[in-house]
Amino acid sequence: TAPPTTPPPGGQTPVAANGQLRVCGVNLCNQYGRPIQLRGMSTHGIQWFGNCYNPASLDALAIDWRADLFRIAMYVQEDGYETDPAGFTNRVNNLVDEATRRGMYAMIDFHLLTPGDPMFNLERAKTFFAAVSARHAAKNNVIYEIANEPNGVSWSTIKNYADQVIPVIRANDPDAVVIVGTRAWSSLGVSEGGNHTEIVNNPVNANNVMYAFHFYAASHKDNYRAEVERAAARLPLFVTEFGTVDYTGDGAADLASSTQWLDLLDRLKIGYANWTFSDKAEGSAALRPGTCNGGNYTGTSVLTPSGVFMRDRIRTPDNFPTS
């Protein structure tokens, strides 16, 4: 395996290069007002794979993978936040601090999935985001993802949720970027027969807001790519989660479709986080089973085919504009 690589040329971390982010037009822009694309990895549920997120693994992500972004997936149900709000809030805060120490952007993912109605978790979301936004308000590298994958509900319901949660964050952190989930498992509505125009016609009432899009490359192909291309002309999009495999998170990595997807996202400067930086025994996991029981996370010998592919894509130079 290759030794750990040095930081980017000039030693500038992604956060040092880009500083406070903001939404300008349909793009995510850096401190110079220039469009950028952030590329990184998502955790799996921290209630299940907490042992995968430690100083050695985060060093590997920041230095060996040269990732810009670390998405922290905090499930609300499924033995997550609702079972121990204070404990999970502390775990998220600690992981944000670890990402910050390494100069990566940290995305706090309020990982609601089942039930798919975000209003079921409205009060929990207000409590959680009040706490984390107060704790990280002085940082310039925190992105808030307030609703992972709404499903079975209308866009107007999701917007109603967002219009109540975003002011809680803004009260503490007025300039942070906030990402809002979209209908049908954050598919812009496509997986339930809709499309992005429902959002264009009824956008969230806030600045510095982006909209989430998720895909699984073996399941979601040309019709989804065409919808992203159309939507990206009108809406600021961020792919906060995607897999190289099918929508179950398992199966073989479809590297042809994954390459088509990432080439599209690169061209449109749409940021992304891959699911997952974990050693779960499934095709979407980047780390081979058992990796998180050991101390080595660098190089390719510890990686699955999906992990090798993603490390290769993320390691390419960012070329962030610095003026």
Side-chain angles (χ1 to χ4, degrees):
T1 60
T5 56
T6 53
Q12 271 214 314
T13 66
V15 175
N18 293 296
Q20 178 64 51
L21 306 176
R22 59 188 173 86
V23 178
C24 47
V26 295
N27 294 111
L28 181 64
C29 290
N30 68 8
Q31 62 189 338
Y32 306 105
R34 301 283 296 278
I36 63 163
Q37 177 196 36
L38 297 180
R39 300 174 296 161
M41 297 295 292
S42 176
T43 70
H44 207 299
I46 58 175
Q47 78 275 37
W48 299 313
F49 292 94
N51 65 324
C52 290
Y53 313 113
N54 56 63
S57 68
L58 285 171
D59 281 348
L61 203 54
I63 301 169
D64 182 46
W65 288 53
R66 302 176 202 161
D68 309 318
L69 175 71
F70 181 58
R71 179 191 192 232
I72 302 158
M74 187 199 71
Y75 279 72
V76 188
Q77 276 73 48
E78 298 184 59
D79 298 321
Y81 175 81
E82 66 179 9
T83 67
D84 181 10
F88 276 93
T89 301
N90 286 335
R91 290 164 77 173
V92 169
N93 285 337
N94 290 335
L95 290 172
V96 170
D97 289 344
E98 292 292 332
T100 303
R101 275 196 272 280
R102 290 162 179 81
M104 288 187 287
Y105 288 90
M107 182 179 290
I108 299 176
D109 161 32
F110 194 70
H111 202 89
L112 55 86
L113 179 62
T114 306
D117 182 355
M119 296 303 278
F120 179 82
N121 285 305
L122 178 64
E123 292 310 314
R124 293 182 191 94
K126 288 179 173 178
T127 300
F128 174 73
F129 283 109
V132 294
S133 62
R135 172 78 157 61
H136 304 294
K139 294 184 173 71
N140 64 353
N141 67 315
V142 180
I143 299 167
Y144 299 95
E145 182 181 6
I146 62 171
N148 166 60
E149 286 186 355
N151 56 87
V153 294
S154 66
W155 166 247
S156 61
T157 296
I158 302 165
K159 174 179 146 54
N160 180 22
Y161 167 87
D163 287 340
Q164 295 185 67
V165 174
I166 292 171
V168 173
I169 297 171
R170 291 280 184 258
N172 293 319
D173 194 343
D175 55 2
V177 172
V178 174
I179 302 177
V180 178
T182 60
R183 189 157 72 86
W185 299 276
S186 286
S187 71
L188 293 168
V190 179
S191 291
E192 289 172 0
N195 63 56
H196 74 283
T197 57
E198 64 190 16
I199 304 170
V200 172
N201 293 334
N202 189 21
V204 170
N205 300 317
N207 295 320
N208 282 326
V209 165
M210 306 186 84
Y211 298 93
F213 182 80
H214 293 180
F215 67 86
Y216 281 78
S219 300
H220 306 129
K221 298 189 175 180
D222 289 345
N223 60 320
Y224 286 83
R225 282 188 283 263
E227 179 61 18
V228 167
E229 180 99 47
R230 286 188 292 266
R234 309 284 301 277
L235 296 169
L237 301 180
F238 203 113
V239 174
T240 57
E241 179 186 320
F242 76 94
T244 60
V245 297
D246 70 31
Y247 71 89
T248 65
D250 208 357
D254 185 336
L255 299 184
S257 178
S258 297
T259 296
Q260 281 190 267
W261 269 114
L262 295 187
D263 288 351
L264 175 68
L265 300 182
D266 290 353
R267 174 163 61 80
L268 297 173
K269 282 196 176 348
I270 294 174
Y272 62 74
N274 175 251
W275 184 266
T276 60
F277 194 65
S278 80
D279 67 349
K280 187 174 183 180
E282 65 179 14
S284 57
L287 303 170
R288 290 175 184 258
T291 299
C292 299
N293 298 330
N296 178 42
Y297 298 86
T298 60
T300 54
S301 66
V302 296
L303 303 181
T304 64
S306 184
V308 170
F309 172 80
M310 286 312 310
R311 176 178 176 273
D312 199 45
R313 293 290 304 217
I314 290 171
R315 274 168 60 91
T316 58
D318 286 301
N319 300 319
F320 291 128
T322 53
S323 64

